[in-house]
Amino acid sequence: RSKKAWTVDMPATITNAALGFSLLLVALSNGEIRGYKEKALVDVLRVNEVVLALTCGVYGREEAMIIVTKAGGLLVKMLPRTA
């Protein structure tokens, strides 16, 4: 049997989650996408719409985050290169 290692309280309900680029990305019903490394909050991205689908991957030669919103929007966020 496994035991719960830790928990993180969220300000709204979770609509979607994805693993990408060493982060756990969590989409919330209040329009936020939060990036966690372990249990530490690394970044918050405001979309201002409910996120239905969220994924990360390579788009061309760049790393990107693809977001689909409830209103039907498709957002492609290109992530900055790291040297």
Side-chain angles (χ1 to χ4, degrees), residues 55-82:
T55 189
C56 293
V58 178
Y59 184 72
R61 292 177 48 192
E62 304 290 329
E63 295 177 342
M65 180 170 40
I66 315 297
I67 304 162
V68 178
T69 64
K70 188 174 184 178
L74 176 67
L75 304 169
V76 179
K77 299 286 187 181
M78 303 304 283
L79 302 176
R81 288 187 177 187
T82 56

Side-chain angles (χ1 to χ4, degrees), residues 21-34:
F21 311 120
S22 73
L23 290 178
L24 173 64
L25 299 170
V26 180
L28 303 176
S29 62
N30 64 357
E32 287 184 351
I33 298 174
R34 293 175 161 235

Side-chain angles (χ1 to χ4, degrees), residues 9-47:
D9 292 327
M10 298 288 166
T13 58
I14 297 173
T15 60
N16 205 329
L19 285 174
F21 311 120
S22 73
L23 290 178
L24 173 64
L25 299 170
V26 180
L28 303 176
S29 62
N30 64 357
E32 287 184 351
I33 298 174
R34 293 175 161 235
Y36 288 93
K37 189 163 196 154
E38 293 287 326
K39 61 181 175 179
L41 178 63
V42 176
D43 197 13
V44 177
L45 174 67
R46 295 281 309 158
V47 179

